[in-house]
Amino acid sequence: MAALVASIYRGISYRGAEGQWAWILHRASGLGIVLFLYMHIVSIFIAAIGPGPYAWVHATLYTSPPAKVLEVFLLFGVLYHAFNGMRIIIIDFFPALGRYQRTIVRIELALVVIVLVPAAIITLRGIF
Amino acid sequence: MATSSSRPYQGKLRYGAPNHEGRIWLFMRLTGLVMFITVVFHLLYMHMAVGVENITFDNIDARWSGPAGVFWRLFDASLLFIGMAHGMNGVRFSINDYVHNKILNFLLTAAVYGLGLFLILLGTVAIVLGVGGLGNLFQRLMG
Ligand code: HEM
Ligand code: HEM
């Protein structure tokens, strides 16, 4: 726990390095998606039990207003983790690209925003 | 940071036989590459093409039925197995980075893997039996 706090503190206080932020966010999004996936698997298992129980799941976990807001976090988390993970993979296999790290991070974030915005609008449309 | 493999590539895999952490390093990247296509597709398909409010019991039933249903079930199984394997291993990275007490580390890792295997079992049951499949099976067993 102390190590966790120290690590978060380091991430917050270590100014000027995009890499540190990118890493903290990659870890936080990865762990967040794992938690969602636990819930998600249980929800599909409930669908295997029957239509009645699944109707409750659908109304509560997927379409209620709080669920819609959390869903936007999920969209951001998955898109960020996916594009940042691809950046890590590409630079790991082509280390020469490391020189363009800053540019590549900017391209990555631009791609995340381009995909996230329409998806988030579609998700939140219903509740306003 | 000692056991995390989130460090940049250091040529370990290209030269000489890969060790265990080296194989895991590669595993995280290969599963990541696959999921970049499958998970992003699944997420956007459910949001943009289907619409989350339309994902009712009957909607899932329709997707999982007929010849195309076989494809979707295999696709969902790949999400389940690859996603859980990648995710559980990612959680292990965090445990190793933050929990240095050997016993606590072992107990936490065992708990995460135990829960993970249990959820993979639930997910597989759902995919094999289909929506409503478990309920029907119970009804038949109860007579
Ligand atoms: C969508 C495509 C994905 C890509 C391209 C991707 C890529 C990666 C990469 C490259 C790593 C770093 C591995 C290392 O440090 O050696 C990683 C870590 C991780 N991933 Fe993914 N991943 C994806 C999806 C997922 C999903 C769906 C989950 C959750 C089930 C997940 C959970 C994690 C976790 C928890 C970590 C560990 C983070 C850390 O130790 O800092 N990832 N991912
Ligand atoms: C809010 C966003 C999401 C929605 C609405 C959604 C919807 C669904 C639906 C309706 C199914 C049932 C199968 C089908 O109808 O084809 C399913 C299965 C599945 N999804 Fe998602 N999904 C979402 C995000 C994700 C994410 C981010 C992952 C990450 C890996 C994921 C992993 C899975 C897995 C593993 C299954 C199979 C579950 C099982 O075996 O019981 N989903 N999803």
Side-chain angles (χ1 to χ4, degrees):
Chain A
M1 196 62 205
L4 180 61
V5 172
S7 157
I8 293 169
Y9 178 75
R10 234 180 292 123
I12 293 167
S13 58
Y14 190 55
R15 285 194 296 149
E18 284 100 332
Q20 185 77 5
W21 278 107
W23 175 77
I24 290 267
L25 256 187
H26 193 78
R27 174 158 282 187
S29 58
L31 296 174
I33 303 166
V34 168
L35 287 182
F36 166 80
L37 191 53
Y38 286 175
M39 180 216 83
H40 194 51
I41 292 171
V42 171
S43 79
I44 303 300
F45 181 76
I46 292 175
I49 295 175
Y54 186 72
W56 177 84
V57 166
H58 182 240
T60 317
L61 297 180
Y62 291 107
T63 55
S64 70
K68 293 274 131 196
V69 175
L70 287 175
E71 217 174 293
V72 174
F73 282 96
L74 177 74
L75 282 167
F76 171 76
V78 172
L79 291 172
Y80 174 80
H81 191 93
F83 281 103
N84 193 59
M86 278 308 291
R87 176 184 63 84
I88 295 172
I89 294 168
I90 289 169
I91 293 180
D92 274 352
F93 283 105
F94 304 100
L97 289 173
R99 282 198 288 145
Y100 309 104
Q101 189 80 262
R102 277 170 172 251
T103 316
I104 295 174
V105 169
R106 288 197 185 126
I107 295 172
E108 170 205 326
L109 292 179
L111 289 174
V112 170
V113 172
I114 288 170
V115 183
L116 176 65
V117 168
I121 289 174
I122 289 178
T123 300
L124 292 177
R125 211 168 35 185
I127 67 169
F128 288 116
Chain B
M1 290 299 289
T3 33
S4 167
S5 49
S6 41
R7 273 172 274 122
Y9 184 54
Q10 280 154 359
K12 222 189 274 165
L13 278 169
R14 220 171 291 165
Y15 313 110
N19 59 16
H20 185 59
E21 283 300 324
R23 270 191 286 270
I24 286 175
W25 178 94
L26 190 61
F27 175 79
M28 289 303 273
R29 273 137 193 88
L30 292 180
T31 49
L33 274 174
V34 172
M35 285 191 296
F36 186 73
I37 309 291
T38 58
V39 169
V40 174
F41 172 79
H42 176 71
L43 190 67
L44 295 182
Y45 180 77
M46 290 300 173
H47 277 83
M48 314 276 218
V50 183
V52 177
E53 63 287 352
N54 300 323
I55 307 177
T56 56
F57 183 88
D58 293 334
N59 174 267
I60 303 176
D61 197 25
R63 209 171 8 265
W64 272 2
S65 299
V70 177
F71 166 78
W72 284 117
R73 288 191 203 214
L74 289 175
F75 180 86
D76 290 326
S78 93
L79 292 180
L80 176 68
F81 296 132
I82 298 177
M84 284 299 284
H86 178 103
M88 286 197 302
N89 196 60
V91 175
R92 193 180 60 91
F93 287 166
S94 283
I95 294 176
N96 286 342
D97 277 355
Y98 302 128
V99 183
H100 300 301
N101 179 310
K102 270 213 170 76
I103 296 170
L104 196 58
N105 183 301
F106 174 81
L107 291 177
L108 270 175
T109 308
V112 166
Y113 276 64
L115 178 64
L117 289 176
F118 177 66
L119 287 170
I120 289 175
L121 180 71
L122 291 193
T124 307
V125 166
I127 290 175
V128 171
L129 296 183
V131 286
L134 196 65
N136 293 341
L137 188 69
F138 261 111
Q139 254 162 17
R140 225 176 316 146
L141 290 179
M142 299 298 163

